[in-house]
Amino acid sequence: MSSATSDGRLPPVGQEHSSTSQVQLDGEITGRPIERGMSTSHWLGTVRSNPLLDYRSSEELPSKADMIIIGSGLSGALTALSLLESSNPPKSLVMLEARELCSGAIGRNAGHCKPDIWRGFTEYSKLFGNKEALRILTNEGETRDALVEFIESNEIQCEIWNGKTMDMMMDEETANKAAENMKAFLAAGGDARQVDITLNPVQAEKLSRVKGAKAIYASPASTLHPWKLVEFIIKRCLKLGLQLHTLTPVLSVDGSDNDWTIQTKRGTIKTPTVIHTTNAYAAALLPEMKKTIIPIPHMCNLVYPPSSHSGSKSLKTSYAVIYKEGLYTINPRLNADGCILVGGVQPNQHHLEAYIEEKKESRQFDDSLKDFKPITDSVKDLGTNGFEWNESQNLKTGFSVRYDRSWSGIIGLTKDQVPLVGAVPGKSGQWTSCGHNGHGMARIFTCSRGLAQLIQGAEWTKTGLPKCFEITQQRLNGELYRQNKL
Ligand SMILES: Cc1cc2nc3c(=O)[nH]c(=O)nc-3n(C[C@H](O)[C@H](O)[C@H](O)COP(=O)(O)OP(=O)(O)OC[C@H]3O[C@@H](n4cnc5c(N)ncnc54)[C@H](O)[C@@H]3O)c2cc1C
């Protein structure tokens, strides 16, 4: 059975898949986003009348552009904004999106911006050494700070909640791993001042309201409606001259250095500069990424809490509930509708992986999957045994828990667990920020700004990003991954 910690490791936040045994990391499978039958996420389901969903700046595609961005998720939107607001904006910038605006992973995720400021230390240090591991973790905190500052200073109505998320260790093994990890993090010079630690199980249960909690590590995080954030950014970009074309799948990018022809379903465009923000689908247009990016479906469930956990008694923070068999992420949508989004790599994840494996040539990039029973059963297990949402525990009056529905999205895993940012090796004029694993919300804000700087001529050091995020031929060959035998 696959498990978040079956080999005794505590996975970094958002990289839980990388430590499962079932994911076939050498599949080399890729594909474009499916064009019909995709499942409906909570985010996309709550903006159905928004005219940006199918927006096109003109009836016909332009025949050329200074720069073209492929993909309208958070990576594409923020890269566009950073370019357009720079001192040297492109004369013409076109964004091509295969489906509706922001309908990839960011429009289907669990809405959690949860920087990993300590948990991934041991894993990252095995891969990249202590110094770079600390740099990765620091970058995550900086990314959330930048995101929150942007949202608050622009008064963006995206239902943001800021607080301390609880990482709950649910058995002795994970509690011990967490303690060892924290010790190693501190010994390497890590700063844990923002982490509140509760090691007493009685107190941990009381604080979390989750039965069986052994220890809690609470650290700063935010939750938000990601589509509404992207909507704000895109509206600002349109004012600054962005030409947006949704429902325009890109079929290929051909040509030679700084002279590229983009073939779409609606015609061709020529450009010297192509920016791939296609995340899990990147290798469909850049086959050199096939060895490095693995697309894989992931589920998110929407749960209406019972009256015992509603109103004044609602959960007061977000969670990761970590068992050795798997992990749940819990986003109780505190400044919004109060429904609870449950994601993560759960104890029944191996059933999902087995289902994908049966027909991986198409299922690896197919987000039509919804209401996948084994995952919903896992969610119900947590409700019954963790939050004690069983009928007998519910109030005599009021609502019972409702496990409403679930949807899927495609995560872009990278073999070395960090994103690929920068100039595509051997293809002058092509750039990317992709492979954000299950963790884009705590990475993209700084990666997209950094990418825009690189495109405009900056050196890597100017971006402030960890060096290991830089896309290199070595990473595309999977060399680092093999050296470390992950
Ligand atoms: C169920 C689920 C839950 C998750 N939960 C969280 C979470 O709580 N916190 C977190 O940090 N991360 C989470 N993630 C991961 C996170 O959503 C991603 O890391 C992030 O969305 C990546 O954003 P992006 O803009 O780079 O890519 P995407 O949002 O995937 O955008 C890529 C876009 O490119 C378009 N595109 C691709 N190929 C083409 C083409 N050929 N032509 C034109 N357009 C194309 C796609 O349609 C898509 O709109 C979750 C992911 C899933 C699936």
Side-chain angles (χ1 to χ4, degrees):
M1 164 166 136
S2 75
S3 121
T5 53
S6 59
D7 55 359
R9 301 190 296 178
L10 186 67
V13 178
Q15 321 298 336
E16 290 84 7
H17 260 299
S18 316
S19 43
T20 67
S21 54
Q22 305 291 312
V23 178
Q24 298 301 304
L25 290 177
D26 289 314
E28 295 201 18
I29 286 166
T30 188
R32 284 189 283 112
I34 59 165
E35 287 171 43
R36 57 190 297 272
M38 56 293 271
S39 55
T40 310
S41 68
H42 187 56
W43 314 128
L44 287 159
T46 47
V47 295
R48 298 313 303 158
S49 58
N50 193 304
L52 278 186
L53 272 179
D54 57 349
Y55 189 90
R56 285 179 180 168
S57 292
S58 55
E59 209 156 296
E60 303 290 325
L61 278 183
S63 58
K64 57 184 181 176
D66 255 13
M67 293 186 187
I68 294 179
I69 294 180
I70 309 173
S72 70
L74 188 58
S75 292
L78 273 169
T79 307
L81 187 64
S82 304
L83 289 166
L84 290 166
E85 286 188 335
S86 71
S87 54
N88 179 25
K91 287 192 190 68
S92 55
L93 177 62
V94 171
M95 179 181 283
L96 303 171
E97 166 54 53
R99 312 194 293 194
E100 291 179 338
L101 182 80
C102 186
S103 56
I106 208 87
R108 306 174 161 273
N109 67 20
H112 212 176
C113 175
K114 174 173 172 149
D116 186 343
I117 60 172
W118 71 278
R119 201 173 96 193
F121 176 75
T122 307
E123 278 299 292
Y124 289 134
S125 93
K126 268 193 236 157
L127 273 166
F128 307 111
N130 282 2
K131 199 168 158 215
E132 190 69 350
L134 291 177
R135 183 70 207 107
I136 295 170
L137 303 174
T138 306
N139 171 258
E140 302 217 359
E142 290 166 355
T143 302
R144 174 185 173 254
D145 291 348
L147 175 83
V148 171
E149 200 279 323
F150 179 76
I151 292 172
E152 290 183 345
S153 63
N154 289 292
E155 298 178 10
I156 302 174
Q157 301 304 305
C158 63
E159 302 164 3
I160 190 164
W161 165 85
N162 298 314
K164 281 206 166 173
T165 186
M166 291 189 195
D167 271 6
M168 274 163 351
M169 309 304 156
M170 299 300 294
D171 46 59
E172 292 297 335
E173 196 177 319
T174 45
N176 290 341
K177 280 289 148 200
E180 277 168 30
N181 201 33
M182 177 55 85
K183 199 169 150 198
F185 172 67
L186 293 172
D191 180 353
R193 278 173 301 175
Q194 288 188 293
V195 187
D196 302 336
I197 305 176
T198 307
L199 298 176
N200 177 331
V202 177
Q203 232 182 328
E205 270 196 0
K206 196 168 161 214
L207 265 178
S208 65
R209 300 165 73 190
V210 179
K211 198 175 159 203
K214 298 277 179 284
I216 301 178
Y217 294 72
S219 57
S222 302
T223 64
L224 54 100
H225 192 308
W227 200 94
K228 291 186 179 173
L229 171 62
V230 169
E231 174 194 23
F232 175 90
I233 299 168
I234 290 290
K235 277 186 177 162
R236 188 182 265 187
C237 289
L238 289 170
K239 279 194 193 136
L240 292 168
L242 175 72
Q243 299 172 61
L244 169 65
H245 287 269
T246 61
L247 304 168
T248 307
V250 173
L251 306 176
S252 62
V253 179
D254 300 306
S256 50
D257 288 356
N258 307 311
D259 180 16
W260 302 106
T261 302
I262 295 193
Q263 181 76 45
T264 81
K265 279 206 166 175
R266 296 175 53 226
T268 58
I269 318 186
K270 287 185 76 69
T271 183
T273 307
V274 187
I275 303 160
H276 299 258
T277 49
T278 43
N279 198 38
Y281 308 98
L285 300 175
L286 291 167
E288 53 271 63
M289 298 234 188
K290 272 190 180 176
K291 285 194 165 75
T292 310
I293 291 202
I294 303 107
I296 187 140
H298 199 68
M299 306 297 299
C300 187
N301 279 65
L302 186 151
V303 180
Y304 290 102
S307 294
S308 60
H309 285 70
S310 302
S312 60
K313 297 187 280 301
S314 60
L315 296 176
K316 299 289 181 274
T317 187
S318 68
Y319 296 77
V321 186
I322 310 176
Y323 295 88
K324 62 176 183 293
E325 296 83 10
L327 169 154
Y328 300 86
T329 63
I330 313 279
N331 167 6
R333 307 255 304 130
L334 278 150
N335 287 342
D337 50 24
C339 68
I340 299 179
L341 300 186
V342 185
V345 176
Q346 302 169 10
N348 274 350
Q349 194 77 7
H350 59 291
H351 288 295
L352 177 59
E353 289 166 5
Y355 169 82
I356 296 163
E357 184 73 23
E358 265 170 35
K359 224 174 153 187
K360 57 183 176 183
E361 326 70 63
S362 55
R363 287 184 182 161
Q364 267 194 233
F365 51 90
D366 178 350
D367 54 12
S368 64
L369 192 62
K370 56 183 181 173
D371 302 326
F372 188 71
K373 189 172 177 307
I375 296 289
T376 302
D377 286 347
S378 267
V379 175
K380 287 181 179 172
D381 259 8
L382 178 70
T384 306
N385 300 315
F387 289 111
E388 301 186 284
W389 287 337
N390 45 35
E391 288 302 318
S392 60
Q393 289 282 334
N394 280 339
L395 299 178
K396 293 231 163 47
T397 56
F399 289 107
S400 299
V401 59
R402 189 167 120 204
Y403 297 97
D404 193 69
R405 66 202 163 90
S406 73
W407 59 89
S408 55
I410 310 300
I411 283 186
L413 296 179
T414 54
K415 289 183 178 175
D416 53 14
Q417 312 192 23
V418 291
L420 296 151
V421 181
V424 179
K427 289 187 172 168
S428 188
Q430 293 202 39
W431 303 84
T432 193
S433 173
C434 64
H436 290 288
N437 292 274
H439 202 41
M441 304 265 275
R443 292 256 169 88
I444 292 171
F445 219 86
T446 46
C447 285
S448 293
R449 285 179 169 175
L451 178 65
Q453 286 176 304
L454 294 170
I455 293 168
Q456 296 191 315
E459 296 293 318
W460 182 268
T461 45
K462 189 90 194 297
T463 66
L465 292 169
K467 184 73 181 150
C468 62
F469 288 10
E470 189 174 17
I471 181 170
T472 60
Q473 191 57 52
Q474 200 198 13
R475 287 184 72 198
L476 294 183
N477 297 344
E479 282 166 27
L480 180 66
Y481 164 76
R482 279 196 293 274
Q483 273 163 23
N484 287 283
K485 295 191 183 62
L486 282 176

